[in-house]
Amino acid sequence: MKVTVCIGSSCHLKGSRQVVEQLKELIASKQLQDQVDLSGTFCMGNCEHGVSASLDGENHSLTPDNTRDFFERQILAKLAVND
Ligand code: FES
């Protein structure tokens, strides 16, 4: 599974760094490093909905406050389906 978080300037101002840090910790806490490929990207052209992220090509809007929810509802749920 590929998770990409925008680290462009607009998303950076909205907390993309915290989002990435949180995702890293959450992924590590479940030992999913082999299954989740987390990376950063420059502006995804969707600044008004930032922090922009994509999960296997599907766009999502994250904030530092909803990152845990995104992890649980999207990433964990998808991995469970794929198992
Ligand atoms: S800076 Fe993130 S979508 Fe533009």
Side-chain angles (χ1 to χ4, degrees), residues 5-20 22 43 45-53 60-67:
V5 179
C6 177
I7 53 168
S9 50
S10 167
C11 291
H12 179 76
L13 290 176
K14 292 180 182 169
S16 63
R17 221 178 111 174
Q18 287 102 296
V19 169
V20 171
Q22 280 190 48
C43 183
N46 198 18
C47 305
E48 66 271 32
H49 296 118
V51 176
S52 304
H60 290 272
S61 290
L62 301 184
T63 67
D65 290 340
N66 74 8
T67 298

Tab-separated table of all heavy atoms in Angstrom, residues 5-20 22 43 45-53 60-67:
chain	number	residue	atom	x	y	z
A	5	VAL	N	2.080	11.806	1.303
A	5	VAL	CA	1.609	13.023	1.963
A	5	VAL	C	2.301	14.211	1.324
A	5	VAL	O	3.516	14.210	1.120
A	5	VAL	CB	1.910	12.994	3.480
A	5	VAL	CG1	1.440	14.282	4.151
A	5	VAL	CG2	1.247	11.791	4.133
A	6	CYS	N	1.515	15.230	0.995
A	6	CYS	CA	2.066	16.434	0.378
A	6	CYS	C	2.873	17.233	1.397
A	6	CYS	O	2.398	17.504	2.496
A	6	CYS	CB	0.930	17.291	-0.161
A	6	CYS	SG	1.546	18.835	-0.847
A	7	ILE	N	4.074	17.575	1.014
A	7	ILE	CA	4.893	18.423	1.888
A	7	ILE	C	5.189	19.752	1.206
A	7	ILE	O	6.170	20.419	1.504
A	7	ILE	CB	6.209	17.711	2.305
A	7	ILE	CG1	6.958	17.196	1.067
A	7	ILE	CG2	5.917	16.554	3.244
A	7	ILE	CD1	8.378	16.750	1.372
A	8	GLY	N	4.319	20.119	0.267
A	8	GLY	CA	4.418	21.425	-0.383
A	8	GLY	C	4.178	22.528	0.638
A	8	GLY	O	3.745	22.272	1.764
A	9	SER	N	4.432	23.785	0.254
A	9	SER	CA	4.433	24.851	1.265
A	9	SER	C	3.062	25.070	1.890
A	9	SER	O	2.950	25.264	3.094
A	9	SER	CB	4.987	26.143	0.678
A	9	SER	OG	4.359	26.429	-0.530
A	10	SER	N	2.000	25.012	1.109
A	10	SER	CA	0.672	25.234	1.675
A	10	SER	C	0.318	24.131	2.679
A	10	SER	O	-0.170	24.398	3.774
A	10	SER	CB	-0.363	25.302	0.543
A	10	SER	OG	-1.641	25.219	1.056
A	11	CYS	N	0.569	22.911	2.303
A	11	CYS	CA	0.279	21.796	3.216
A	11	CYS	C	1.223	21.800	4.414
A	11	CYS	O	0.833	21.426	5.518
A	11	CYS	CB	0.356	20.470	2.472
A	11	CYS	SG	-0.980	20.288	1.281
A	12	HIS	N	2.435	22.235	4.189
A	12	HIS	CA	3.381	22.333	5.302
A	12	HIS	C	2.819	23.263	6.373
A	12	HIS	O	2.858	22.955	7.564
A	12	HIS	CB	4.727	22.854	4.790
A	12	HIS	CG	5.739	23.005	5.876
A	12	HIS	ND1	6.396	21.921	6.423
A	12	HIS	CD2	6.179	24.093	6.539
A	12	HIS	CE1	7.198	22.362	7.378
A	12	HIS	NE2	7.088	23.661	7.470
A	13	LEU	N	2.255	24.396	5.928
A	13	LEU	CA	1.684	25.360	6.878
A	13	LEU	C	0.497	24.767	7.622
A	13	LEU	O	0.186	25.168	8.729
A	13	LEU	CB	1.237	26.629	6.145
A	13	LEU	CG	2.359	27.510	5.608
A	13	LEU	CD1	1.777	28.679	4.825
A	13	LEU	CD2	3.229	28.020	6.748
A	14	LYS	N	-0.173	23.833	7.005
A	14	LYS	CA	-1.334	23.212	7.657
A	14	LYS	C	-0.942	22.009	8.500
A	14	LYS	O	-1.805	21.292	9.002
A	14	LYS	CB	-2.352	22.803	6.607
A	14	LYS	CG	-2.996	23.984	5.928
A	14	LYS	CD	-4.000	23.518	4.911
A	14	LYS	CE	-4.624	24.705	4.190
A	14	LYS	NZ	-5.405	24.256	3.036
A	15	GLY	N	0.353	21.740	8.580
A	15	GLY	CA	0.795	20.689	9.512
A	15	GLY	C	1.188	19.375	8.871
A	15	GLY	O	1.118	18.333	9.522
A	16	SER	N	1.616	19.397	7.613
A	16	SER	CA	1.955	18.117	6.982
A	16	SER	C	3.072	17.381	7.723
A	16	SER	O	3.096	16.162	7.745
A	16	SER	CB	2.330	18.300	5.507
A	16	SER	OG	3.474	19.076	5.365
A	17	ARG	N	3.949	18.153	8.339
A	17	ARG	CA	5.019	17.478	9.071
A	17	ARG	C	4.492	16.653	10.236
A	17	ARG	O	4.912	15.518	10.452
A	17	ARG	CB	6.001	18.525	9.596
A	17	ARG	CG	7.409	18.039	9.442
A	17	ARG	CD	8.361	19.050	9.893
A	17	ARG	NE	8.974	18.553	11.108
A	17	ARG	CZ	9.957	19.184	11.703
A	17	ARG	NH1	10.399	20.313	11.228
A	17	ARG	NH2	10.479	18.682	12.780
A	18	GLN	N	3.534	17.243	10.967
A	18	GLN	CA	2.942	16.470	12.074
A	18	GLN	C	2.196	15.248	11.537
A	18	GLN	O	2.199	14.190	12.152
A	18	GLN	CB	1.938	17.298	12.884
A	18	GLN	CG	2.545	18.349	13.769
A	18	GLN	CD	2.416	19.726	13.142
A	18	GLN	OE1	2.990	19.985	12.089
A	18	GLN	NE2	1.650	20.618	13.750
A	19	VAL	N	1.538	15.448	10.382
A	19	VAL	CA	0.801	14.327	9.799
A	19	VAL	C	1.767	13.188	9.474
A	19	VAL	O	1.524	12.026	9.825
A	19	VAL	CB	0.039	14.778	8.523
A	19	VAL	CG1	-0.518	13.583	7.764
A	19	VAL	CG2	-1.086	15.742	8.891
A	20	VAL	N	2.883	13.529	8.842
A	20	VAL	CA	3.859	12.502	8.470
A	20	VAL	C	4.435	11.840	9.719
A	20	VAL	O	4.538	10.600	9.783
A	20	VAL	CB	4.996	13.110	7.609
A	20	VAL	CG1	6.128	12.106	7.416
A	20	VAL	CG2	4.462	13.558	6.261
A	22	GLN	N	3.094	11.551	12.677
A	22	GLN	CA	2.076	10.698	13.297
A	22	GLN	C	1.918	9.401	12.526
A	22	GLN	O	1.834	8.321	13.123
A	22	GLN	CB	0.721	11.416	13.300
A	22	GLN	CG	0.548	12.419	14.397
A	22	GLN	CD	-0.903	12.891	14.456
A	22	GLN	OE1	-1.825	12.096	14.448
A	22	GLN	NE2	-1.107	14.189	14.500
A	43	CYS	N	3.714	19.738	-4.049
A	43	CYS	CA	2.320	20.158	-4.221
A	43	CYS	C	1.527	19.237	-5.139
A	43	CYS	O	1.941	18.936	-6.258
A	43	CYS	CB	2.277	21.590	-4.768
A	43	CYS	SG	0.584	22.193	-4.914
A	45	GLY	N	-1.504	19.949	-6.090
A	45	GLY	CA	-2.494	20.757	-6.803
A	45	GLY	C	-3.848	20.788	-6.129
A	45	GLY	O	-4.863	21.062	-6.766
A	46	ASN	N	-3.876	20.494	-4.841
A	46	ASN	CA	-5.145	20.423	-4.119
A	46	ASN	C	-5.006	21.163	-2.788
A	46	ASN	O	-5.516	20.726	-1.766
A	46	ASN	CB	-5.464	18.935	-3.889
A	46	ASN	CG	-6.907	18.701	-3.562
A	46	ASN	OD1	-7.762	19.556	-3.824
A	46	ASN	ND2	-7.203	17.566	-2.970
A	47	CYS	N	-4.298	22.303	-2.855
A	47	CYS	CA	-3.896	22.996	-1.629
A	47	CYS	C	-5.070	23.339	-0.720
A	47	CYS	O	-4.952	23.248	0.498
A	47	CYS	CB	-3.156	24.283	-1.955
A	47	CYS	SG	-1.756	24.062	-3.036
A	48	GLU	N	-6.190	23.742	-1.298
A	48	GLU	CA	-7.295	24.185	-0.439
A	48	GLU	C	-7.835	23.058	0.425
A	48	GLU	O	-8.487	23.294	1.430
A	48	GLU	CB	-8.410	24.870	-1.241
A	48	GLU	CG	-9.153	23.997	-2.210
A	48	GLU	CD	-8.495	23.957	-3.597
A	48	GLU	OE1	-7.245	24.062	-3.711
A	48	GLU	OE2	-9.229	23.806	-4.566
A	49	HIS	N	-7.569	21.824	0.041
A	49	HIS	CA	-8.029	20.691	0.842
A	49	HIS	C	-6.893	20.037	1.630
A	49	HIS	O	-7.032	18.919	2.100
A	49	HIS	CB	-8.728	19.656	-0.043
A	49	HIS	CG	-9.973	20.178	-0.683
A	49	HIS	ND1	-10.125	20.275	-2.048
A	49	HIS	CD2	-11.097	20.686	-0.140
A	49	HIS	CE1	-11.303	20.814	-2.306
A	49	HIS	NE2	-11.917	21.075	-1.174
A	50	GLY	N	-5.796	20.749	1.755
A	50	GLY	CA	-4.649	20.166	2.447
A	50	GLY	C	-4.873	20.001	3.931
A	50	GLY	O	-5.775	20.639	4.466
A	51	VAL	N	-4.155	19.221	4.512
A	51	VAL	CA	-2.971	18.524	4.009
A	51	VAL	C	-3.404	17.430	3.025
A	51	VAL	O	-4.164	16.531	3.401
A	51	VAL	CB	-2.188	17.895	5.175
A	51	VAL	CG1	-1.006	17.085	4.673
A	51	VAL	CG2	-1.756	18.957	6.180
A	52	SER	N	-2.928	17.524	1.800
A	52	SER	CA	-3.304	16.544	0.797
A	52	SER	C	-2.514	15.261	0.977
A	52	SER	O	-1.327	15.291	1.284
A	52	SER	CB	-3.008	17.078	-0.601
A	52	SER	OG	-3.650	18.304	-0.790
A	53	ALA	N	-3.220	14.162	0.772
A	53	ALA	CA	-2.548	12.868	0.851
A	53	ALA	C	-3.195	11.937	-0.149
A	53	ALA	O	-4.338	12.166	-0.555
A	53	ALA	CB	-2.690	12.295	2.255
A	60	HIS	N	-7.099	12.107	-0.277
A	60	HIS	CA	-7.677	12.340	1.049
A	60	HIS	C	-7.204	13.690	1.558
A	60	HIS	O	-6.152	14.182	1.148
A	60	HIS	CB	-7.196	11.260	2.032
A	60	HIS	CG	-7.764	9.914	1.747
A	60	HIS	ND1	-8.955	9.497	2.270
A	60	HIS	CD2	-7.317	8.918	0.959
A	60	HIS	CE1	-9.220	8.282	1.826
A	60	HIS	NE2	-8.247	7.903	1.025
A	61	SER	N	-7.993	14.278	2.458
A	61	SER	CA	-7.605	15.514	3.128
A	61	SER	C	-7.305	15.203	4.580
A	61	SER	O	-8.173	14.704	5.286
A	61	SER	CB	-8.767	16.511	3.108
A	61	SER	OG	-8.974	16.966	1.817
A	62	LEU	N	-6.105	15.499	4.992
A	62	LEU	CA	-5.732	15.195	6.372
A	62	LEU	C	-5.452	16.465	7.154
A	62	LEU	O	-5.134	17.514	6.581
A	62	LEU	CB	-4.483	14.314	6.403
A	62	LEU	CG	-4.565	12.980	5.682
A	62	LEU	CD1	-3.277	12.210	5.889
A	62	LEU	CD2	-5.740	12.162	6.169
A	63	THR	N	-5.560	16.350	8.462
A	63	THR	CA	-5.081	17.387	9.372
A	63	THR	C	-4.379	16.626	10.492
A	63	THR	O	-4.596	15.414	10.645
A	63	THR	CB	-6.236	18.199	10.006
A	63	THR	OG1	-6.969	17.318	10.868
A	63	THR	CG2	-7.172	18.787	8.973
A	64	PRO	N	-3.569	17.322	11.281
A	64	PRO	CA	-2.945	16.610	12.399
A	64	PRO	C	-4.002	15.974	13.311
A	64	PRO	O	-3.739	14.965	13.957
A	64	PRO	CB	-2.153	17.706	13.114
A	64	PRO	CG	-1.797	18.652	12.014
A	64	PRO	CD	-3.016	18.671	11.120
A	65	ASP	N	-5.215	16.548	13.326
A	65	ASP	CA	-6.265	16.013	14.202
A	65	ASP	C	-6.981	14.786	13.663
A	65	ASP	O	-7.568	14.036	14.432
A	65	ASP	CB	-7.330	17.090	14.478
A	65	ASP	CG	-6.772	18.180	15.363
A	65	ASP	OD1	-5.763	17.925	16.043
A	65	ASP	OD2	-7.350	19.279	15.353
A	66	ASN	N	-7.005	14.614	12.356
A	66	ASN	CA	-7.738	13.440	11.861
A	66	ASN	C	-6.814	12.344	11.336
A	66	ASN	O	-7.277	11.366	10.758
A	66	ASN	CB	-8.784	13.842	10.799
A	66	ASN	CG	-8.170	14.193	9.445
A	66	ASN	OD1	-6.981	14.013	9.206
A	66	ASN	ND2	-8.993	14.695	8.542
A	67	THR	N	-5.532	12.502	11.572
A	67	THR	CA	-4.581	11.524	11.029
A	67	THR	C	-4.764	10.136	11.640
A	67	THR	O	-4.741	9.137	10.940
A	67	THR	CB	-3.134	12.024	11.253
A	67	THR	OG1	-2.986	13.245	10.537
A	67	THR	CG2	-2.119	11.028	10.747
